[in-house]
Amino acid sequence: MAIGRSPQSSSQTPDPGAARRPSRARGIPEATVARLPLYLRALTALSERSVPTVSSEELAAAAGVNSAKLRKDFSYLGSYGTRGVGYDVEYLVYQISRELGLTQDWPVVIVGIGNLGHALANYGGFASRGFRVAALLDADPAVVGSSAAGLPVRHMDELESIVESQHVSIGVITTPPGAAQQVCDRLVEAGVTSILNFAPTVLTVPDGVDVRKVDLSIELQILAFHEQRKAGDEPDRTESVLDRAPGPVRAAAAKLRRAAGGSGKTRAAAEDADPAAKGKPGKAGEGELSAVMPA
Amino acid sequence: MAIGRSPQSSSQTPDPGAARRPSRARGIPEATVARLPLYLRALTALSERSVPTVSSEELAAAAGVNSAKLRKDFSYLGSYGTRGVGYDVEYLVYQISRELGLTQDWPVVIVGIGNLGHALANYGGFASRGFRVAALLDADPAVVGSSAAGLPVRHMDELESIVESQHVSIGVITTPPGAAQQVCDRLVEAGVTSILNFAPTVLTVPDGVDVRKVDLSIELQILAFHEQRKAGDEPDRTESVLDRAPGPVRAAAAKLRRAAGGSGKTRAAAEDADPAAKGKPGKAGEGELSAVMPA
DNA sequence: TAGATTGTTAATCGATTAACAATC
DNA sequence: TAGATTGTTAATCGATTAACAATC
């Protein structure tokens, strides 16, 4: 892969860098690709119920999107429907699976076997979509040797040999944030070219490596934003009049605040600045989703 | 909240329904809201290192976005920077926290205490952002009474009283998919208006309730799509010539396939249709991320 | 003043949606 | 044939980005 480093190219919610990624290969828009798994899931459910065909309207409802969007999405894959009838469920399952690359086997390594690593190792959705857990890895000798989901937890030292021998191209990072970049570097060095990152860290990877991230805290913060706007719009803001004042006034206020040494801080802001200063129950630092800290 | 039901209005990757959500309240674009937590995280790190000011270029690099986008995003919040100087770190932490609603306390319930529920209960990022775990709930008597992250696991029966007494407006669903809609209904009925759903299910909620989902399997499938395109474009497709043939030919082929009873299936497609038929290691059904099945 | 950096403009790009002709 | 439903068009909307005037 290329040498030049670039900030991670993909993420979850909107998608910083989506436009830059080479991903539009064969012309399927990124937004469409992201919905294909939703359609596939809905189709799989229909298939299990032995439903032979489905209309765009029905399938769209099952997948939680609107039918025009679904038809547009499918039009990028080809004309797999029949006018006046709908789509053949089995055939569409096959086409979408193929398009997503799920007719291949994808060996995956999971690095960092804390609670989240355990949860992922046990995740049924992995195996049922062609993903196979090739190995569970951890740096903590206390964890290495134990087993999760019927697989032994192996030491980080084995990473390179496992990736090579099993042709692993996808890695999942469930370490604490402090270890994520190191782990990422080792994965990439070993030959992994797609990374799913659960650590709340921006990963830097070479060109040609895809990173997606799942960030639990961010999802909650987005909910909080909307929640705040529901509760009557002005819930209990500690907002100063100056904060909504015209430009010059605000600039002056900011300058004063700076001079005064951050007097505008509130509880949350102050705690962010010094996590050690707070006496809340959840004592772990931000993002310590898994238990152990690889070397 | 309103009576009419609608499919869930928000999700993760692109965002089906983003345009429809009332969320643009006070005019901050959804894409910007989704990035505010990233900026906040980067700013918090700078704050911990006692960095007083930061330029849009530096902060953008730390957050993994481009600086024009960052400045545009901040312009929706107000003019909090100083030309020629940059942004005051503490002040910006405060402003973003306030905008996201993080200066308030948000009690949260987590329903379904399997591995993932455990992982979330232990997640440090919760407490450090004003989120407080008000209760852990499960329907399985074997789990109820145990403790996770220092909190007792309580029975689902207590859901309504907890939500009411502690004014919980945010619920996290980490149950198996089969239980998710029921749990969702109870949460909503009890007064919860924001839901973070980890179960691979499309939830139906009344207007006024926000749903975001985190879907591990979907993220992996998106990676697989891109990965497939890296390995030389035509990896080992089981693709028939007919699949890329012009419309009429393809339609005829599909019809034949239908008549023949789904002969186009491959391994992945066949297993999707009948999960019980497969002999893979991950024996759990799709999406059984957590251990127990609430009533 | 000279250098630095913001905040905003305007152009561009990608995604969504309604509508409907094509066609089963 | 009449009814149903796809696949595509075109309009609209929202997000991204480069560029630069404003201004510290």
Side-chain angles (χ1 to χ4, degrees):
Chain A
M1 291 297 154
I3 299 294
R5 303 212 130 214
S6 64
Q8 66 193 74
S9 61
S10 58
S11 79
Q12 42 179 18
T13 309
D15 196 323
R20 221 175 295 149
R21 221 175 318 148
S23 72
R24 297 214 42 198
R26 208 194 260 152
I28 302 180
E30 197 58 28
T32 296
V33 171
R35 281 187 295 266
L36 292 181
L38 290 178
Y39 302 142
L40 183 56
R41 174 172 294 150
L43 285 163
T44 301
L46 291 170
S47 171
E48 279 165 16
R49 288 171 33 216
S50 300
V51 175
T53 60
V54 67
S55 70
S56 62
E57 202 65 59
E58 292 164 326
L59 184 55
V65 304
N66 99 20
S67 67
K69 193 188 283 182
L70 178 142
R71 287 196 303 276
K72 190 98 222 272
D73 285 341
F74 285 180
S75 77
Y76 294 112
L77 307 184
S79 300
Y80 295 148
T82 305
R83 288 162 137 106
V85 176
Y87 300 91
D88 179 86
V89 171
E90 295 297 328
Y91 187 57
L92 204 46
V93 164
Y94 165 65
Q95 290 299 342
I96 294 178
S97 294
R98 188 177 57 82
E99 199 63 57
L100 283 171
L102 305 181
T103 52
Q104 295 178 53
D105 183 64
W106 294 104
V108 165
V109 292
I110 301 176
V111 185
I113 312 301
N115 281 319
L116 184 63
H118 259 96
L120 290 175
N122 281 301
Y123 185 46
F126 269 38
S128 71
R129 292 272 176 275
F131 299 102
R132 177 172 53 80
V133 179
L136 307 176
L137 297 166
D138 205 297
D140 184 351
V143 178
V144 173
S146 68
S147 81
L151 293 169
V153 177
R154 301 163 74 174
H155 193 271
M156 280 296 286
D157 289 348
E158 301 189 58
L159 189 152
E160 288 77 10
S161 66
I162 291 167
V163 167
E164 190 181 2
S165 67
Q166 304 209 34
H167 305 103
V168 173
S169 55
I170 300 178
V172 178
I173 298 178
T174 46
T175 66
Q181 183 64 60
Q182 283 176 60
V183 167
C184 174
D185 291 345
R186 281 187 68 177
L187 285 168
V188 169
E189 181 63 30
V192 165
T193 47
S194 287
I195 289 173
L196 182 55
N197 181 29
F198 286 85
T201 315
V202 175
L203 294 178
T204 301
V205 295
D207 285 346
V209 175
D210 272 320
V211 177
R212 291 191 70 85
K213 70 173 183 298
V214 174
D215 195 312
L216 314 171
S217 163
I218 283 181
E219 297 302 318
L220 269 187
Q221 290 174 60
I222 297 171
L223 281 178
F225 173 85
H226 295 300
E227 192 60 38
Q228 184 183 35
R229 257 126 261 262
K230 288 177 198 165
D233 210 43
E234 294 286 330
D236 93 303
R237 306 262 176 80
T238 331
E239 163 175 64
S240 151
V241 246
L242 291 173
D243 294 333
R244 291 283 152 210
V249 179
R250 225 164 32 227
K255 197 177 284 179
L256 281 171
R257 242 179 287 242
R258 269 196 292 281
S263 53
K265 292 198 287 184
T266 64
R267 205 210 76 246
E271 286 183 355
D272 276 341
D274 183 6
K278 67 178 187 273
K280 289 290 205 63
K283 50 273 159 196
E286 148 145 13
E288 299 209 39
L289 254 172
S290 64
V292 287
M293 186 81 163
Chain B
M1 292 295 152
I3 300 295
R5 302 214 131 214
S6 63
Q8 66 193 74
S9 61
S10 57
S11 81
Q12 43 178 19
T13 309
D15 195 321
R20 222 175 295 149
R21 219 174 319 148
S23 71
R24 298 215 39 196
R26 209 195 259 150
I28 302 180
E30 197 58 29
T32 296
V33 171
R35 281 188 296 265
L36 292 180
L38 291 177
Y39 302 143
L40 183 56
R41 174 172 293 150
L43 285 162
T44 301
L46 292 171
S47 171
E48 279 166 15
R49 291 171 32 215
S50 300
V51 175
T53 60
V54 66
S55 69
S56 62
E57 202 65 57
E58 293 164 326
L59 184 55
V65 304
N66 99 20
S67 67
K69 194 187 283 182
L70 178 142
R71 287 197 301 276
K72 189 100 225 267
D73 284 341
F74 285 0
S75 77
Y76 294 112
L77 307 183
S79 300
Y80 294 148
T82 306
R83 289 162 136 108
V85 177
Y87 299 91
D88 181 85
V89 170
E90 294 298 328
Y91 187 56
L92 203 46
V93 163
Y94 165 64
Q95 289 299 342
I96 295 178
S97 294
R98 187 177 57 81
E99 199 63 56
L100 283 171
L102 304 181
T103 52
Q104 296 178 55
D105 183 64
W106 295 104
V108 166
V109 292
I110 301 176
V111 184
I113 312 302
N115 282 317
L116 184 63
H118 260 95
L120 291 175
N122 281 300
Y123 186 46
F126 270 37
S128 71
R129 294 270 175 274
F131 299 102
R132 178 171 54 80
V133 179
L136 305 176
L137 298 166
D138 205 297
D140 183 352
V143 177
V144 173
S146 68
S147 82
L151 294 169
V153 177
R154 300 164 75 173
H155 193 270
M156 280 296 286
D157 290 349
E158 302 188 57
L159 187 153
E160 287 76 10
S161 66
I162 291 167
V163 167
E164 189 180 0
S165 66
Q166 304 209 36
H167 306 102
V168 174
S169 54
I170 300 178
V172 178
I173 298 179
T174 46
T175 66
Q181 183 64 59
Q182 282 176 60
V183 166
C184 174
D185 291 344
R186 281 186 68 176
L187 285 167
V188 169
E189 180 63 31
V192 165
T193 46
S194 288
I195 289 173
L196 183 54
N197 180 29
F198 285 85
T201 314
V202 176
L203 294 178
T204 301
V205 295
D207 286 345
V209 175
D210 271 320
V211 176
R212 290 191 70 84
K213 70 172 184 296
V214 174
D215 194 314
L216 314 172
S217 163
I218 283 181
E219 297 302 319
L220 268 188
Q221 290 175 59
I222 296 170
L223 281 178
F225 173 85
H226 294 301
E227 193 60 40
Q228 184 183 34
R229 256 125 260 260
K230 288 177 198 165
D233 210 43
E234 293 287 329
D236 92 305
R237 305 263 178 78
T238 331
E239 163 175 63
S240 153
V241 246
L242 290 174
D243 294 334
R244 292 285 151 206
V249 180
R250 225 164 31 229
K255 197 177 285 179
L256 281 171
R257 241 177 288 241
R258 267 196 294 279
S263 52
K265 292 198 287 184
T266 64
R267 205 210 76 248
E271 285 184 354
D272 277 341
D274 183 7
K278 67 176 187 272
K280 289 290 206 63
K283 50 271 158 200
E286 149 144 12
E288 297 207 41
L289 256 171
S290 65
V292 288
M293 186 83 166

